[in-house]
Amino acid sequence: MNGDFVVPFARRGSIVGAEEIAALAALVDSDAPLSAGGLRERFESRFARHVGSRHALSVTSGTVALELAIELLELRPGDEVVATPQTFQATLQPLLDRDVTVRFCDVDPESLNLDADVLETLITPRTRAILLVHYGGWAADMDRIMAIARRHGVLVLEDSAHALGSTYHGSRPGALADISCFSFHATKNITTLGEGGMITTDRDDWAERLDRRRNNEVDGIYLPADEQEPFLLPWMKFSADVYRQACVGVRRAGTNATLAEAAAGVGLTQLDRLETLVARRRRIAGRLDEVLDRHPHVRRQRPPAGVGHAYHLYTFFAGGGSQARDELVRTLHRQGVEVQLRYFPQHLTPEWRWRGHGPGECPTAERLWFTEHMNLPCHPGLTDTQVDHLVHTLDRALAEVPDRTRTVRGGPAVRTLPA
Ligand SMILES: Cc1ncc(COP(=O)(O)O)c(C=O)c1O
């Protein structure tokens, strides 16, 4: 459907070409294993080096990464979790099945990242974890957030699905919190051919548990047994350690979340491309910034020094209230530029409304989404001609759509939220 646009939002967030085909051909032509082999190990160790974490464990998607990572937090009934509302639903979905209280934390009006001032007010003695996203590839205010978390003994999970290629004062998302999750979905900054994910952490115990959990191994509790070992047939040798011990309990079931070798091989070539891919995103973002700077009634993002935005999403804020914003979206669509709004504030979705959340909980996230929020196409697959069309169309549309900030009395119109 978005193939109809001259400048589509993003069917692919990355470039896939001859190198990926060569990596796949080499794997197919070899007799190397197609699962759990050397490519996966190389992909993981290079990824860990890139982000600066001790461990990197690949899995089948970003959603699965989040499910497994949230399991490690060992949330108990009655625990509280502070979470950002401005994210894709996968960040918070694992919490729906848990008897925990979620406190949605409002966002900073420019980065759309969790607001550290608000965070401080939401921490209680029951808070166990903070779930945040580096929205669009702009790393959250991690120095302050981690200082608050450490002061209160709270674990922090960073959803880095947008943030591969971002930097934060000399470090990278993936090494800024206790545990981090990445996505290699087709639209992300790199892809493992459509689906894939990664978990990074410095904790050895968590890495060991994840490794077992993603590979069908039940998380058993064993005790050394007495001397009488069962007779072991040769093909049982691999599990000799397990046979020698008495199993006294099972904590968790296993699953299969293993990233295939083909995906890992493509992931390795994509890591080689990462710098170029992000540089292209930044160049397109720079051109969009220039346009927005010519139109004072709109606001653009201005990351502070030391924060390297990866522009997984290019976000800006239209002035003049919801009508003007919606008119701008329609004008751009008519001119072939696809606009999307990412994301509907999570606390307003049916699943969280059902759990007692609703309008008024995060006023900034709500106001921006309903009246100003815009995401423009910004991905390396765009040709120079498409980028020119995008830039000129945006410039014209912003000049055409009147600045309503001066005509709406009492400030921007705010659309009534559903009751
Ligand atoms: C912020 C965020 N978290 C998690 C995910 C889930 O990743 P995946 O699609 O790989 O399951 C996505 C996107 O798809 C995302 O944008």
Side-chain angles (χ1 to χ4, degrees), residues 61-63 66 87-88 90-91 133 159 161-162 183 185 188 195-196 343:
S61 71
T63 299
L66 284 156
T87 187
F88 182 61
T91 315
V133 68
D159 181 340
H162 301 174
S183 163
H185 179 264
K188 294 300 187 295
E195 303 285 356
Y343 299 90

Side-chain angles (χ1 to χ4, degrees), residues 137-140 166-169 282 303-309:
W138 174 341
S166 310
T167 52
Y168 181 80
H169 303 293
R282 288 185 176 141
V307 173
H309 200 318

